[in-house]
Amino acid sequence: MGATGTGTWTADAGNPAVVSFVSTTDPATTVSGFTASVTYTLYWSLNGCSDTVLITVTPKPNAGPDQTICQYSNTVMAATGTGTWTADAGNPAVITIANPTSPTTAVSGFTASGTYTLYWSLNGCTDTVLINVTPKPNAGPDQTICQYSIAIMGATGT
C-alpha cells in the first residue's frame, strides 16, 4: 500500500473476499487475499476521517500444464482464455511461436535440451509454462544388409 501519515487500514465489509493486512497501522503494509477478480475497497482512517483505495483485481491467465518433449520436437500449448505468448530470453535456444495470441498455438525450435519458459499474459498478469526438453537419442546410421545377416547397431549415448 502507499498511504502517508498515520492511520489504520480496514477493508470494506462488502468486499467479495476477506483480505489480510501484514500491519493495519503501517501505511506501506502488504495486503493479500485477493481471490476474486473484482474491485476491492480499502480504507486508511484516522480520527473519523478516511481515504479510500480501490484495488481492481484482474483474473490470472491459465497457461496450461508444464510439458516434457523430446529435442527437435514441436508442441502445442494448452492455455485457456485470452492472452499473448512470449518466450523467456534465457531459454536454451530461440523458439518460434506460430501465433502468439492463440491459446493453443504451435511452438517449434527446441534444438537444445533443457528447460524452456513460456509466458501467457493478459492485462499485466502472467502465468508460466515450463517445457522440459530431453535430449534426442542417437540410434546411429541407417543400414542396408543382406537377408539372414545380422546388424550391428551404432547407437551413441545412453
Side-chain angles (χ1 to χ4, degrees):
M1 301 307 298
T4 57
T6 52
T8 302
W9 285 110
T10 56
D12 190 272
N15 284 339
V18 176
V19 296
S20 299
F21 298 92
V22 170
S23 170
T24 58
T25 57
D26 179 359
T29 193
T30 300
V31 185
S32 61
F34 300 104
T35 58
S37 302
V38 292
T39 300
Y40 291 75
T41 304
L42 306 177
Y43 304 105
W44 181 242
S45 305
L46 179 65
N47 298 326
C49 296
S50 63
D51 192 16
T52 303
V53 174
L54 300 177
I55 298 179
T56 303
V57 178
T58 58
K60 182 178 180 188
N62 180 352
D66 293 344
Q67 301 181 30
T68 298
I69 64 171
C70 292
Q71 184 179 6
Y72 302 109
S73 296
N74 300 327
T75 192
V76 174
M77 304 312 295
T80 57
T82 306
T84 302
W85 286 109
T86 54
D88 190 271
N91 283 335
V94 175
I95 57 174
T96 300
I97 300 169
N99 181 352
T101 59
S102 169
T104 56
T105 189
V107 182
S108 60
F110 298 101
T111 58
S113 61
T115 302
Y116 291 73
T117 304
L118 281 87
Y119 306 105
W120 181 239
S121 303
L122 178 66
N123 297 326
C125 298
T126 300
D127 194 20
T128 302
V129 168
L130 300 177
I131 300 177
N132 183 34
V133 177
T134 58
K136 181 180 179 185
N138 182 348
D142 293 340
Q143 299 180 34
T144 302
I145 62 169
C146 293
Q147 185 179 11
Y148 304 113
S149 298
I150 62 169
I152 308 287
M153 302 312 297
T156 59
T158 53

